[in-house]
Amino acid sequence: MSIELLPAYIERIDASKTDEVELKNIALEIEEELLPEHIAILLEAFPLDVRLSLWTLFSCETQQDVFLEMKNESKQMLLNSMDDEACYPLFERLDANDLLEITENLSDHFIEYAVNKMTAKHQEHFKKAQDYSDDEVGHWQSFDQKKISQNLKVSSAKKTSAREQETLVDVVYIIDKESKLLGEIAINKLLMMDNDTPLIDVEYQPVQALEAIKDIEEAADEVILSGKAALPVIDENGHLTGRLDIHSAYRFKQQIKDNQEMQSAGLSDEEDLFSSVWLSSKNRAIWLGINLVTAFLASWFIGLFEATLQQVVALAVLMPVVASMGGISGSQTLTLIIRGLALGQITESNREAIVKKELKVGTINGILWASVIGLITYVWFDNPMLSLTICIAILGNILVASLSGVWVPWILDKLNIDPALSGAVILTTVTDIFGFIAFLGVGTLLLL
């Protein structure tokens, strides 16, 4: 598989990023050896400056194919770094489905340009899909269904089924004069029928159809469980509008799964390894804030036992906050790095750049939430030295968590241990131990 070549290419590109001739030769090899989706993964393994240097060496056709395979955030980084004239060729060969997949956060003038480059048929399809929200199957339906009027003969149906043969097409759909779906005929059975037989005299198979307003996740499950290559999509009046095939169904399910895994760590499934430090900080800060609420709730319960904790009550009450903030911060980095390792995006050559980026993110969020927690602690306990103690501990623990989030999965991967299975346990142990030592150590120096 071409994806297995990614680590070697990453090393070669990193070693040759200042050698234009060698970099051009590598780019030619990449175009020949790698699929567009793998080139997209490869590009996302580099900071933006190296990524752009390599991007300009690819042919226009390769750029168009690779652009479609990039994550939305990576697309935006690329578009924002180039002038509009250099971006327009990326939108010249898109069909309705291609454009629908990339319209999120895409500037209107790019969408308008892409639509104008489409055939009238695809423009109609794009407009029809826009009538549905992006969580409805109608928005994501394909328009390659084979539909035949019941008023025609079998010979016409055979010609239609043989013309412009699409993948995952094993039936033709029979419609009436108003385009209402009546049933389906398997193509292999159709080929055995007499050419002069009117379709109206043929017994159609009952069809399992999806309503266009149906939730896309439910629709994907229905296609997968149907045992069919695809299911037709109908509007509220029963008119055949498109179909959802098994390939698209599995792709949607995988996207939903990936999104849920990333969201569980407070990340976006579209986050790029080298996305903006400020953007990464903002995305993660929201979840750190949510985690802070739960951490203080745990501290409040511990505070109920204040009478038994005597002189060290304040430190004991706040200890879960320190541990929890380090744990969630580290898990965010851990999730991103595990995904990068699985895709072959992380190697010896770009590890240092990733560590630097994560440290910057950790510093920003560490300062932000250390200040917030310090202020809350001062209002709660009216003790400035205690506030200073927890500020230092929170900042230190988030920085250690950021480093651990990179190094723990990296080391486990080198030891042939699956970081997805054991990384979280080790990371939590590291952040808990460091957080408690830092908090109690600084507290001993400043408070006792």
Side-chain angles (χ1 to χ4, degrees), residues 24-156:
K24 187 173 183 179
N25 291 333
I26 295 174
L28 291 174
E29 288 184 36
I30 289 172
E31 287 187 290
E32 294 178 359
E33 296 287 340
L34 300 184
L35 297 172
E37 56 264 38
H38 298 152
I39 297 177
I41 295 172
L42 175 68
L43 288 170
E44 291 162 9
F46 294 100
L48 186 58
D49 56 341
V50 179
R51 194 179 303 186
L52 288 173
S53 298
L54 193 59
W55 177 262
T56 57
L57 299 176
F58 293 136
S59 67
C60 182
E61 184 176 347
T62 297
Q63 289 179 348
Q64 291 169 338
D65 292 337
V66 172
F67 183 74
L68 290 176
E69 301 296 336
M70 288 181 168
K71 296 194 291 287
N72 284 335
E73 187 173 317
S74 301
K75 289 189 182 82
Q76 283 301 128
M77 290 171 63
L78 186 66
L79 294 176
N80 293 340
S81 64
M82 302 191 302
D83 59 53
D84 287 354
E85 291 302 319
C87 296
Y88 283 135
L90 298 173
F91 302 97
E92 290 184 351
R93 295 194 300 118
L94 303 183
D95 59 25
N97 291 103
D98 290 335
L99 184 57
L100 285 168
E101 290 187 7
I102 65 174
T103 50
E104 184 180 0
N105 299 322
L106 195 63
S107 299
D108 290 341
H109 63 283
F110 287 137
I111 297 176
E112 183 179 356
Y113 181 86
V115 172
N116 289 335
K117 288 291 181 179
M118 290 179 187
T119 63
K121 180 180 179 181
H122 280 292
Q123 288 178 358
E124 181 185 352
H125 290 167
F126 181 77
K127 182 179 179 181
K128 186 183 297 183
Q130 292 291 81
D131 292 336
Y132 300 94
S133 65
D134 59 7
D135 60 352
E136 295 176 334
V137 67
H139 188 80
W140 301 109
Q141 64 185 320
S142 63
F143 301 94
D144 55 0
Q145 73 276 15
K146 302 290 186 181
K147 55 183 180 180
I148 310 292
S149 171
Q150 67 173 341
N151 297 321
L152 299 177
K153 292 184 177 181
V154 167
S155 58
S156 297

Side-chain angles (χ1 to χ4, degrees), residues 153-166:
K153 292 184 177 181
V154 167
S155 58
S156 297
K158 288 181 179 180
K159 290 178 181 179
T160 300
S161 64
R163 186 172 58 246
E164 299 177 1
Q165 189 63 265
E166 302 286 347

Side-chain angles (χ1 to χ4, degrees), residues 213-231:
I213 59 173
K214 193 179 189 68
D215 180 81
I216 183 60
E217 185 174 0
E218 295 178 8
D221 286 332
E222 200 166 324
V223 172
I224 293 170
L225 294 174
S226 71
K228 295 179 176 290
L231 290 182

Side-chain angles (χ1 to χ4, degrees), residues 379-439:
V379 172
W380 190 353
F381 294 99
D382 193 24
N383 187 332
M385 296 308 291
L386 179 61
S387 296
L388 178 60
T389 297
I390 198 169
C391 280
I392 294 172
I394 290 291
L395 176 58
N397 206 22
I398 288 182
L399 289 175
V400 168
S402 297
L403 284 174
S404 300
V406 176
W407 282 104
V408 167
W410 174 269
I411 293 173
L412 290 175
D413 186 66
K414 288 297 182 182
L415 295 175
N416 293 321
I417 301 172
D418 187 0
L421 296 177
S422 54
V425 176
I426 296 175
L427 176 73
T428 302
T429 302
V430 171
T431 55
D432 283 356
I433 291 175
F434 180 87
F436 292 148
I437 291 176
F439 188 45

Side-chain angles (χ1 to χ4, degrees), residues 11 13 43 48 54 84 93 109 183 191 193 197 209 244 260-261 264 272 277 306 323 364 368 378 395 423:
E11 297 288 348
I13 292 169
L43 288 170
L48 186 58
L54 193 59
D84 287 354
R93 295 194 300 118
H109 63 283
L191 295 176
M193 296 179 182
T197 303
L244 184 68
Q260 290 172 340
E261 289 177 352
S264 67
D272 190 285
V277 170
E306 181 174 345
I364 292 172
L368 169 65
Y378 179 77
L395 176 58

